[in-house]
Amino acid sequence: MRDVIIIGAGGGGPVVAKELAERGLNVLVLEAGARHAKPEQEWSALENHMNSSLTGKLRFGPADPAKPAWFRELTTPGSFSQVAGVGGTTLHYYGNSPRAMPGVFADYRGRDRGMYDHRHKFPFGYDEMRRYYEWTEATLPVQTAAMGTKEQAFFQAAEAAGLSPITGKDITHAGFRPQENAILQPGGTAGRTSDPSQLNYPNATGCTLCGHCFQGCMLPKGAPRNLKARRSTDNSYTPMALTADLWKPGGKAITLVSDAYVTRILSDRQWGRRMQRATGVEWRDVNTGEVHSEDARVVVMAGGCIENPRLWMNSDLPDPNGWVGRGLTDHALDWVTGIFDHDVGGARGTSCSSRADFPGYGAIQNTANTPGVQANNLTNSDSGIRGTYTNGLGGQGAWDGEAGRLYGTELKEMMSDINRQMSILVLTDADVEYQNKVDVSRVFNDDHGPVARVSIDKRRRSRRTQRNRDYLATRAAEILRAAGARKIVRNDWAPVLLHLQSSMRMGDSARNSVLDENCEARAVQGLFIADNSALPNSLGGPNPTLSTQALATRTAEKIFQHYFGGDAWVGHESPICSIDDAVTQAVLSRGL
Amino acid sequence: MSETKPTNSPISSGRRQLLIGSGVLGAAAALNPGMAFAHWGRGKGRGKGRGRWGRDNPQENAPPVEWTVEQLRTALDQLRNDTFFAMIAFGVPGNDPYSEHQGVSTPYPGGITTRADLYLSGGTDLLVPVPAGFMNQLLASIATYLAVKPMDIPEMASEDVGENGEYLLENLNSSFTDYLEGEVSNSVLVALLINLAATRVAGSVDGPFPSPFANLSWEQKAKVFEELESEHSWLKRAITWNIPDRDYREATPGVLSSMVAFMLRIAGFGSYCEFAVFNPQTREVVQRPLGWVLSQYAPDAPPSGIGSDDFIGYYQGRRSV
């Protein structure tokens, strides 16, 4: 019997794995997708090769490229942008690691407290969360991002638009700032040259400003896995978990099995159908079809906001209050782009190193884009085609014309010089709403049972969510205008299911949450959740990965305390950084 | 001659509209122009009287044509290709015949030159694992709907096409039914739906291409997608009108929305990514992709860059907060 089985090696699972491996527990991690063990020999910097949701290396699908991607049903317009495999969706994230807005925590007493989703707050206070943030930020590590052409243009524009800089990690007021990124900042020749012969480790360390975060980070070339620039969990927490016995006295390396799709959580019924106890898991080898099972004292779900409800339902686990899969949030993402008469570095430098935060509304961030992704972003909308039809939407405002997708010659003109574009991603503080949900399809099945079905109807979002989104699009357009944009377009995206949160939410009330204040399932003892789905809300808008990782650290502590009689360590010990020399030596000696 | 013809099953008005409006008949005729109607064809130009069905035109003396499923498959694959070329020209126009015909073109190449049409059809086929039987139910539902609420295309669907024409339509319908019971690609289904919407939007869709959609102007193509994207479109009503399986009926609008959204979005992605010039052995482009040329991205490629010299410093010198 294992001490702990963790389902999923994405943004959250490896955090629990590393923390508990460090405590010497016997941990098995099961990952449905690929383990990209040799990225320099497997990956490229090319969009279709890496990012195609159907055939790309970083897709939600099996490792074998000849097999189709795993399908999920959508009942309303939208698209998925998630990744399976060790690293999960952090394989294509930009490393942005802001903390959540303090206003979404239980103890917030600020004058603007009425601005937040007050019915779905964190069941504990921000001060408690802060120490887990600090631990996680030190482990990854999180660093203040360097500035390139587009960041400089964004900061100047934000200032001209009347915003002031935010100078701490806590978001205390509306303002702009360099991103706090889980990316090692440039050292040596990195960022100073585009000559590939000069960019090998150790001449170059950290981020080379290649702009290919979305294609997966394998740079600098020749660097040990834990010293690759971006701290996706395949480069940070997973190498630590696989070598915990080598860098931590008393530590025990985890067992990692990829291509292992968990199809059922095994449980004992204890007190009737309303309360069960998790006893293990059953999984299917994606390559051979063989079915395996193992028992464990504790099971941790970390398969993501869409797969967790599916697994729960396919396992016939109880749902006494009807909130399994409910309350899905997605930051109601949107896209605003300005076109300039001069070069603003639209496709140069890092993927995303500048942002502005607006407490009570959400956040915006400036991104660099490769051509296919940018064309994809400009053609995504459910407000029709600009200048022709609007689908009853097509809002007008600080941008030019009606919101909608660019098509035909307008798209081609907009794309005619990618470095003269500045694009801003809108991250909305979106309400938890019962009707936004994940359940299982009645039509579509795959080898692992009925597939997940996702319903997130943009037209029925709460008034506050829509207000926040419009507010942020307006602020984005104002910044672009201040920067001197000749033309500004708002796409009004159809839902892009990338920043997903809260589909298995924790909460202080048993009436509207699946998890208690320790992230343990209220209806299944010994079953925890440690990914974005456990978050109680949309964090006020900030990117979710850091908060998920901090919460997963807290969850690991709770598991260790409540099931293994251990003590808490955060606040009592110093974290070991994932780029510590001891970790590097362990990674090299294990041949990772 | 009619005395020697085998008998086909009579064809309902809805099914007849489906075959004509979705471009199935046009595609079949394009593959074998002698099959049916000597004076029916897709002539160049957009004037009235070109490419119409007509009372005076059936080729009464043509030999009977028995369409095999494989022949029909070839015809429908070509219809799909034609439709997708037109789709790419709609999204990223260039200097190709499809762009020029729609009245919106550019003096330099567009998405068709990158073969984004192949990307689009391959992607559409992989997008949704449509269960067997689903498409048949869906198209049968449309035919039932059209019988009740016919399209306003009297010159194509309602008039007498002559005895021989009637026979050939029946034969085509029979082969089409057999075809749908086999393996049907999503891309063909989507092409049929787009063409059906094109026929409904524009009524008569004459022109040089077998695909009704390809013969539309750019503005008319936008109207097709307005119809396809609308929450309350007639096509969504039609495809759910008579699907007997309740679960299929509930899932259908979402599946259609996904495919339509994918078509619109991927026309852009496919045109600007490296798809057409990627070498899987080297994991590198063999030449600079056209999308990169059009967007002035990575002027020194290939190879793809692994770093830049864009480092300026840190905002206000702040290395940490």
Side-chain angles (χ1 to χ4, degrees):
Chain A
M1 175 187 272
R2 301 278 181 175
D3 290 328
V4 178
I5 295 178
I6 298 170
I7 306 164
V15 176
V16 178
K18 171 260 172 189
E19 295 294 343
L20 294 181
E22 199 175 340
R23 302 294 132 188
L25 296 191
N26 179 357
V27 178
L28 169 66
V29 177
L30 299 168
E31 167 54 44
R35 179 176 173 191
H36 302 285
K38 304 284 180 197
E40 287 187 41
Q41 282 82 55
E42 299 170 11
W43 293 357
S44 73
L46 299 168
E47 299 167 294
N48 184 56
H49 179 230
M50 296 305 296
N51 302 126
S52 165
S53 60
L54 300 169
T55 59
K57 287 277 183 190
L58 307 184
R59 62 174 181 166
F60 185 75
D64 182 353
K67 292 181 178 171
W70 291 315
F71 176 71
R72 291 91 85 80
E73 183 183 347
L74 257 176
T75 64
T76 46
S79 57
F80 297 101
S81 186
Q82 292 190 304
V83 181
V86 175
T89 303
T90 69
L91 284 166
H92 75 183
Y93 88 147
Y94 292 170
N96 306 139
S97 299
R99 297 178 178 179
M101 301 280 184
V104 302
F105 286 80
D107 61 348
Y108 187 67
R109 298 288 177 269
R111 277 186 300 178
D112 63 346
R113 59 187 177 278
M115 293 287 287
Y116 302 91
D117 185 359
H118 56 85
R119 283 179 298 186
H120 304 101
K121 290 191 169 183
F122 272 80
F124 56 90
Y126 187 75
D127 282 344
E128 181 179 344
M129 186 69 161
R130 186 185 283 114
R131 63 175 186 262
Y132 295 99
Y133 277 139
E134 288 168 352
W135 179 277
T136 310
E137 288 159 350
T139 302
L140 281 164
V142 172
Q143 298 179 346
T144 301
M147 183 170 62
T149 307
K150 66 182 181 305
E151 288 76 29
Q152 191 171 50
F154 181 86
F155 295 144
Q156 288 170 353
E159 217 164 325
L163 291 171
S164 58
I166 296 172
T167 54
K169 285 182 186 286
D170 294 334
I171 303 167
T172 53
H173 64 280
F176 69 92
R177 55 177 167 151
Q179 291 274 14
E180 291 294 297
N181 278 343
I183 295 176
L184 305 179
Q185 291 306 300
T189 55
R192 275 84 173 172
T193 178
S194 57
D195 178 356
S197 68
Q198 301 297 311
L199 287 170
N200 292 318
Y201 179 87
N203 287 334
T205 60
C207 180
T208 62
L209 311 195
C210 74
H212 291 299
C213 282
F214 201 50
Q215 285 77 48
C217 187
M218 54 179 172
L219 301 175
K221 281 191 170 176
R225 189 67 187 255
N226 69 313
L227 297 183
K228 300 296 187 188
R230 195 197 52 199
R231 317 310 295 155
S232 40
T233 57
D234 60 321
N235 293 335
S236 55
Y237 278 95
T238 301
M240 290 186 87
L242 287 166
T243 57
D245 57 319
L246 299 180
W247 54 265
K248 175 79 176 198
K252 184 176 176 63
I254 65 159
T255 304
L256 171 64
V257 181
S258 57
D259 308 300
Y261 209 115
V262 175
T263 52
R264 193 165 186 86
I265 291 173
L266 306 174
S267 62
D268 273 347
R269 195 169 296 179
Q270 290 197 313
W271 302 293
R273 279 211 35 92
R274 291 177 69 84
M275 186 66 186
Q276 299 187 11
R277 185 173 65 83
T279 59
V281 304
E282 189 174 276
W283 76 91
R284 178 180 174 277
D285 185 311
V286 171
N287 298 319
T288 66
E290 291 171 357
V291 174
H292 306 270
S293 66
E294 274 209 46
D295 293 335
R297 290 178 67 185
V298 168
V299 175
V300 179
M301 299 175 82
C305 279
I306 298 176
E307 293 307 306
N308 284 347
R310 176 199 187 193
L311 177 58
W312 188 286
M313 291 172 190
N314 288 344
S315 302
D316 297 319
L317 296 178
D319 180 16
N321 62 9
W323 270 83
V324 168
R326 297 279 183 170
L328 177 68
T329 57
D330 66 340
H331 282 163
L333 303 177
D334 200 358
W335 196 248
V336 184
T337 302
I339 193 86
F340 293 76
D341 289 326
H342 58 281
D343 188 329
V344 287
R348 268 208 306 278
T350 63
S351 291
C352 183
S353 290
S354 56
R355 69 186 291 118
D357 297 283
F358 301 92
Y361 298 97
I364 60 177
Q365 56 185 25
N366 173 217
T367 67
N369 301 287
T370 44
V373 171
Q374 177 65 345
N376 183 75
N377 292 345
L378 292 172
T379 53
N380 178 25
S381 180
D382 51 7
S383 276
I385 293 174
R386 273 166 56 88
T388 61
Y389 67 96
T390 65
N391 277 336
L393 298 171
Q396 297 186 43
W399 46 94
D400 294 312
E402 293 169 329
R405 67 168 61 79
L406 283 80
Y407 233 61
T409 46
E410 188 178 30
L411 173 64
K412 218 170 168 186
E413 283 165 12
M414 195 80 173
M415 288 292 298
S416 63
D417 188 343
I418 201 163
N419 278 313
R420 294 188 181 196
Q421 289 182 12
M422 184 185 286
S423 289
I424 294 181
L425 177 65
V426 167
L427 311 172
T428 307
D429 178 7
D431 280 336
V432 170
E433 297 180 76
Y434 187 72
Q435 78 268 13
N436 294 330
K437 64 174 183 177
V438 181
D439 59 6
V440 290
S441 175
R442 294 176 182 162
V443 171
F444 298 98
N445 292 274
D446 64 16
D447 293 332
H448 312 113
V451 306
R453 180 173 66 171
V454 181
S455 304
I456 191 155
D457 189 347
K458 195 177 110 181
R459 291 169 190 259
R460 294 176 60 208
R461 303 302 288 261
S462 73
R463 205 176 295 175
R464 194 184 79 91
T465 300
Q466 297 193 32
R467 177 205 70 188
N468 289 354
R469 190 168 185 259
D470 287 342
Y471 175 88
L472 294 166
T474 300
R475 299 309 302 262
E478 288 169 357
I479 289 173
L480 292 170
R481 196 76 71 191
R486 166 163 54 85
K487 176 180 173 183
I488 298 167
V489 293
R490 178 186 180 186
N491 278 98
D492 191 15
W493 272 2
V496 174
L497 303 180
L498 169 66
H499 284 197
L500 296 180
Q501 300 111 173
S502 62
S503 64
M504 304 288 283
R505 61 183 301 275
M506 70 186 307
D508 57 7
S509 168
R511 285 177 303 169
N512 65 6
S513 58
V514 178
L515 308 177
D516 66 13
E517 69 279 6
N518 297 327
C519 285
E520 184 170 11
R522 293 183 183 281
V524 185
Q525 194 182 5
L527 180 60
F528 290 77
I529 298 186
D531 57 26
N532 285 13
S533 70
L535 295 170
N537 52 44
S538 67
L539 306 172
N543 319 52
T545 303
L546 177 76
S547 293
T548 285
Q549 293 176 330
L551 187 60
T553 304
R554 181 178 179 272
T555 302
E557 258 193 2
K558 301 296 181 190
I559 291 170
F560 193 57
Q561 289 176 288
H562 295 173
Y563 283 86
F564 299 95
D567 296 323
W569 56 87
V570 173
H572 306 284
E573 300 177 14
S574 296
I576 295 172
C577 181
S578 63
I579 61 169
D580 188 283
D581 283 345
V583 177
T584 303
Q585 291 310 313
V587 165
L588 291 173
S589 75
R590 192 141 284 164
L592 299 180
Chain B
M1 182 147 192
S2 58
E3 292 169 2
T4 61
K5 285 177 186 169
T7 306
N8 286 315
S9 302
I11 181 169
S12 72
S13 67
R15 190 73 170 186
R16 171 204 209 68
Q17 290 180 73
L18 176 69
L19 287 174
I20 298 171
S22 65
V24 174
L25 179 60
L31 197 66
N32 181 357
M35 71 163 278
F37 309 98
H39 301 286
W40 185 87
R42 301 282 188 194
K44 287 195 175 179
R46 312 179 60 78
K48 282 204 172 274
R50 304 299 300 267
R52 301 274 177 87
W53 294 97
R55 180 186 302 281
D56 302 327
N57 291 334
Q59 187 178 345
E60 289 292 346
N61 295 323
V65 175
E66 300 288 342
W67 278 86
T68 66
V69 170
E70 277 317 303
Q71 286 172 319
L72 188 60
R73 189 182 304 282
T74 302
L76 293 179
D77 284 350
Q78 290 187 7
L79 175 68
R80 183 262 323 277
N81 297 346
D82 204 40
T83 308
F84 281 28
F85 271 132
M87 181 70 210
I88 297 300
F90 177 45
V92 186
N95 54 0
D96 53 88
Y98 292 86
S99 299
E100 285 164 8
H101 185 76
Q102 70 183 356
V104 172
S105 61
T106 62
Y108 45 93
I112 282 181
T113 308
T114 71
R115 295 310 309 267
D117 57 302
L118 296 178
Y119 189 85
L120 192 56
S121 60
T124 307
D125 288 341
L126 294 171
L127 185 67
V128 183
V130 176
F134 190 74
M135 288 199 192
N136 226 338
Q137 287 196 31
L138 190 148
L139 291 173
S141 175
I142 294 173
T144 308
Y145 182 85
L146 290 173
V148 178
K149 296 176 183 289
M151 292 192 291
D152 185 21
I153 48 169
E155 74 278 23
M156 291 178 67
S158 300
E159 289 191 13
D160 179 13
V161 293
E163 188 184 348
N164 198 33
E166 202 64 48
Y167 168 78
L168 289 162
L169 264 179
E170 290 166 8
N171 178 258
L172 191 64
N173 184 46
S174 170
S175 299
F176 188 53
T177 302
D178 292 342
Y179 167 80
L180 290 175
E181 283 170 2
E183 201 165 294
V184 182
S185 64
N186 293 350
S187 54
V188 167
L189 174 74
V190 170
L192 295 177
L193 295 180
I194 288 175
N195 284 314
L196 193 63
T199 304
R200 187 176 183 278
V201 162
S204 180
V205 280
D206 311 329
F209 305 113
S211 155
F213 179 74
N215 289 319
L216 300 183
S217 67
W218 193 90
E219 290 75 16
Q220 285 175 313
K221 287 180 178 177
K223 286 189 183 303
V224 168
F225 277 91
E226 181 175 14
E227 186 68 55
L228 290 169
E229 282 209 282
S230 165
E231 269 200 297
H232 308 292
S233 76
W234 72 272
L235 188 61
K236 280 184 185 158
R237 280 200 302 278
I239 60 177
T240 55
W241 185 258
N242 194 34
I243 291 183
D245 185 304
R246 183 184 158 191
D247 292 337
Y248 280 9
R249 194 164 63 242
E250 287 179 359
T252 302
V255 170
L256 180 65
S257 293
S258 295
M259 287 187 176
V260 169
F262 182 79
M263 293 283 290
L264 284 163
R265 215 161 28 81
I266 293 305
F269 181 79
S271 297
Y272 284 93
C273 76
E274 83 286 358
F275 163 72
V277 292
F278 178 66
N279 180 344
Q281 272 69 51
T282 60
R283 290 172 284 115
E284 188 50 272
V285 291
V286 295
Q287 65 184 69
R288 196 164 166 235
L290 177 62
W292 297 14
V293 176
L294 293 174
S295 59
Q296 302 190 50
Y297 175 74
D300 300 327
S304 314
I306 60 167
S308 78
D309 58 359
D310 197 44
F311 178 81
I312 292 174
Y314 290 86
Y315 179 70
Q316 294 182 340
R318 287 197 269 139
R319 297 296 308 269
S320 62
V321 293

